[in-house]
């Protein structure tokens, strides 16, 4: 007898279930089922197997997701994309660009790139090798490759999203086919990034419930999610000015409570503070605009008073992108002419804000609603965490330098740093969230570390040594620190000296630039200790650099190349490649801004 499965109304899923059930039945059960179905059980199994064999095999897509990230945003989005496209039809690999073997590029079928832009249009450290390879003559033609790029950037910088744009254009030039148009994201990137991820998911037409995801970099999770739109309100526990009397700086040591938040962090991570413009600045802008602050406008679908909207919108950072949006609302041709002169524009916007533009280039034709539509939300301000969670459970410490200056006859302050230094008191609350910084992580306990920082760049190194002290480790550590004056600007001096005495800190070299006629900086101390520094590097030390990119970052980088060139007795090019290799091995990590 033959089971008429093919002519029955069974679905493939039902057939699959029959194939799973029948082999596990007893003889008595099989006999009963045979009568019930009026067919032989053995025939049923054969038919089911034939049906299964006739099914069209699943065509698995090999998908590679590469990220280039300085602070971890691209890495988190890469992880989110991998989770979104998860399917039994996809074999997904997630990797930083520095860990990706470029020789495999020609073998790829689907490639998705998420890349931030660092500094003045430069690729982040862990994207440099991939970026350079792709733009070299060694890069192969890629006609088989389907790809898309998500670019992260900041419109307040001249070269907005340049790394992502460059990668997209280069892939096209190599013959690759873009299957989802590139998306360029500003600092408030979540909505645009999510739409791009949805587009990618739609184009891939995924089905199924599971995927093989092979991350080559482990990405840890914070225990609870907080973000720019849903921050945690942290109470201020302590506020101390770290600079001595007579200093021309004001550096605030801030201690915040994380109690009840579930937030965790590791040495090297950053804390983001969600800012608001102060009332005085908003009042000045309203006066310049000649608008009534009680008028209502719509921002992101919510109706609010104009005065309240301006507290949340970015009215301090000027960029070519923003000023281009302003041009249609004024008959004053001077603004359009300024945009055509790159160097003049760069000099003009430095230190100025939206109030200056409103006062100088009017009269304006915009309505309050049109005006706010040109502005973006204030970006969160990110600060390196200067404490170890192991040493201070449910607390987080920050080291914040107050930004203050005078331009065009008006005193200015940093949106967050000025507010914290001038207005925030113990007991107040700040809206915060933790951001992982996977590219600036403390090495294994026994590994020697060389820490180089100036000013508030000392913050993460305080967290490093607190962590090592808690672990009771014996790994060697060396701090190079610089500021203006020894007496007034030696941040956390007592702690460093105690750690030095107790052996938590092995070596300490300091450079106070204005304590002598000839200025001395940390890069000079590095060169003075070149022989010993090279010995540490050869012994496996990891180098960390934290501070301003334009001043400290570039100078220290060149000093390291010089150290290698002299001590290893190689050419400048070979020394440069040696330092690049240290970066690729994560033995030279930078947190520069």
């Amino acid at each position: 007898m033959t089971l008429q499965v093919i002519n029955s109304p069974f679905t493939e899923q039902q057939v699959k279930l029959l194939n799973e059930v029948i082999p596990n039945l007893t003889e008595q059960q099989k006999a009963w089922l045979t009568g019930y179905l009026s067919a032989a059980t053995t025939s049923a199994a054969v038919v089911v197997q034939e049906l299964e064999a006739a099914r069209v095999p699943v065509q698995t897509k090999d998908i590679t997701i590469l990220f280039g990230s300085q602070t971890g945003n691209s890495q988190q989005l890469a992880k989110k994309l991998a989770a979104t496209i998860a399917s039994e039809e996809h074999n997904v690999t997630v990797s930083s660009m520095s860990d990706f073997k470029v020789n495999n590029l020609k073998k790829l079928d689907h490639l998705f790139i998420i890349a931030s832009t660092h500094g003045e249009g430069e690729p982040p450290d862990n994207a440099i090798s991939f970026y350079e390879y792709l733009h070299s003559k060694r890069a192969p033609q890629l006609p088989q490759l389907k790809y898309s790029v998500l670019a992260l950037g900041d419109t307040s910088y001249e070269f907005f999203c340049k790394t992502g744009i460059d990668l997209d254009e280069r892939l096209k030039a190599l013959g690759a086919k873009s299957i989802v148009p590139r998306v360029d994201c500003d600092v408030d990137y979540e909505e645009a990034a999510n739409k791009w991820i949805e587009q990618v998911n739609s184009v891939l037409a995924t089905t199924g419930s599971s995927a093989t995801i092979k991350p080559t970099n482990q990405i840890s999770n914070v225990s609870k999610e907080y973000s720019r739109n849903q921050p945690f309100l942290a109470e201020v526990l302590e506020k101390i000015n770290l600079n001595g009397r007579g200093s021309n700086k004001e550096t605030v040591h801030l201690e915040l409570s994380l109690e009840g938040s579930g937030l965790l962090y590791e040495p090297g991570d950053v804390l983001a503070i969600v800012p608001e413009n102060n009332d005085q600045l908003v009042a000045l802008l309203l006066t310049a605009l000649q608008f009534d602050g009680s008028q209502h406008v719509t921002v992101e679908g919510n109706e609010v008073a104009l005065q309240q909207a301006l507290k949340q919108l970015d009215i301090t950072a000027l960029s070519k992108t923003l000023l281009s949006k302003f041009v249609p609302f004024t008959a004053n041709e001077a603004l359009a002419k300024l945009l055509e002169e790159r160097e003049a524009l760069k000099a003009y916007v430095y230190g100025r804000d939206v109030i200056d533009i409103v006062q100088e280039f009017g009269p304006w034709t915009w309505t309050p609603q049109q005006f706010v539509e040109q502005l973006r939300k204030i970006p969160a301000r990110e600060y390196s965490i200067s404490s170890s969670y192991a040493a201070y459970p449910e607390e987080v410490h920050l080291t914040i330098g107050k930004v203050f200056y005078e331009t065009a006859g008006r005193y200015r302050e940093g949106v967050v740093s000025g507010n914290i230094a001038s207005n925030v008191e113990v007991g107040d609350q700040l809206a915060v969230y933790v951001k992982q910084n996977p590219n600036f992580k403390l090495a294994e306990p026994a590994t020697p570390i060389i820490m180089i920082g100036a000013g508030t760049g000392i913050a993460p190194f305080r967290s490093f040594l607190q962590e090592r002290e808690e672990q009771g480790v014996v790994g060697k550590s060396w701090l190079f620190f610089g500021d203006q004056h020894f007496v007034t600007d030696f941040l956390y001096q007592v702690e460093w000296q105690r750690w030095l005495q107790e052996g938590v800190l092995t070596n300490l070299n300091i450079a106070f630039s204005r304590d002598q006629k000839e200025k001395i900086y940390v890069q000079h101390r590095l060169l003075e200790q070149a022989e010993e520094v090279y010995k540490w590097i050869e012994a496996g030390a990891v180098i960390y650099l934290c501070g301003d990119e334009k001043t400290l970052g570039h100078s220290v980088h060149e000093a390291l190349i010089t150290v290698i060139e002299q001590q290893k007795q190689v050419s400048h090019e070979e020394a440069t490649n040696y330092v690049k290799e240290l970066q690729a091995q994560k033995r030279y990590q930078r947190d520069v801004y």
Side-chain angles (χ1 to χ4, degrees), residues 234-243 250-257 273 386 395-402 413-430 462 492:
E235 182 181 351
V236 177
L237 301 175
E238 186 64 271
K239 174 187 172 183
I240 302 169
N241 182 4
L242 295 175
N243 297 103
E250 187 172 352
T251 307
V252 176
H253 170 77
L254 201 67
E255 299 181 3
L256 302 172
S257 171
I273 299 179
S386 55
E395 286 186 23
V396 61
H397 300 176
L398 300 177
T399 309
I400 300 175
K402 179 182 178 181
E413 287 185 349
V415 174
V416 169
S417 65
N419 179 53
I420 286 174
S422 304
N423 304 314
V424 169
E425 301 295 341
V426 172
D428 291 345
Q429 291 183 323
L430 294 175
R462 182 175 182 263
Y492 302 112

Side-chain angles (χ1 to χ4, degrees), residues 65-234:
I65 302 172
L66 298 182
F67 60 85
S69 179
Q70 197 70 31
T71 62
N73 292 335
S74 296
Q75 184 166 343
Q76 292 300 322
L77 288 171
K79 178 185 177 184
K80 185 172 184 178
L81 173 61
T84 302
I85 64 177
S87 165
E88 63 184 6
E89 297 179 5
H90 297 157
N91 182 24
V92 184
T93 300
V94 182
S95 171
S96 71
M97 294 183 190
S98 59
D99 289 336
F100 177 72
K101 294 181 179 179
V102 292
N103 291 340
N104 290 331
L105 193 58
K106 201 168 183 178
K107 304 175 185 176
L108 299 185
D109 180 45
H110 287 78
L111 172 64
F112 297 102
I113 288 178
I114 305 175
S116 63
T117 294
H118 179 58
E120 295 297 323
E122 300 162 4
D125 287 353
N126 67 357
I128 292 173
S129 57
F130 180 81
Y131 182 94
E132 290 180 347
Y133 173 82
L134 204 65
H135 286 83
S136 72
K137 292 182 178 179
R138 294 187 299 127
Q141 290 297 306
L142 302 168
Q144 86 293 344
L145 184 64
K146 303 174 185 66
Y147 80 96
S148 182
V149 174
L150 180 69
L152 303 188
D154 183 341
T155 51
S156 66
Y157 286 85
E158 180 180 2
F159 301 103
F160 174 60
C161 287
K162 187 176 186 301
T163 300
I165 293 170
D166 288 350
L167 292 173
D168 181 33
E169 292 179 350
R170 182 58 176 161
L171 286 170
K172 283 180 182 175
L174 294 172
K177 178 185 178 183
S178 174
I179 57 174
V180 174
R182 186 190 74 245
V183 172
D184 299 336
C185 302
D186 203 353
V187 285
D188 192 21
Y189 60 82
E190 286 87 353
E191 184 178 350
N194 287 338
K195 287 182 179 178
W196 178 81
I197 290 173
E198 289 172 6
Q199 273 190 290
V200 170
N201 191 35
S202 176
V203 168
L204 292 174
T206 59
T207 57
S209 59
S210 62
T212 306
I213 301 176
K214 302 182 294 185
T216 60
N217 288 55
Q218 294 301 316
I219 307 170
S220 59
N221 289 315
V222 226
S223 57
K224 195 168 182 179
E225 289 294 330
Y226 291 98
S227 65
R228 169 70 171 78
N229 296 324
Q230 292 182 317
F232 173 72
L233 295 179

Side-chain angles (χ1 to χ4, degrees), residues 427-497:
D428 291 345
Q429 291 183 323
L430 294 175
V432 304
Y433 57 98
V434 170
K435 279 191 61 180
Q436 297 166 8
N437 191 2
N439 302 309
F440 200 77
K441 285 301 180 190
L442 179 59
E444 292 298 317
T447 303
I449 57 175
I450 300 173
M451 303 167 287
I452 308 167
T456 56
I458 203 169
F461 305 138
R462 182 175 182 263
S463 76
F464 282 13
L465 290 198
Q466 283 184 1
E467 184 81 4
R468 286 202 157 184
E469 184 178 35
E470 288 297 311
Q471 294 172 338
V473 298
V474 294
K476 295 197 301 181
S477 59
W478 192 345
L479 174 66
F480 289 86
F481 171 68
D483 214 314
Q484 292 186 356
H485 299 285
F486 176 87
V487 174
T488 60
D489 305 318
F490 194 170
L491 308 183
Y492 302 112
Q493 177 184 358
V494 173
E495 293 185 34
W496 301 118
Q497 290 177 337

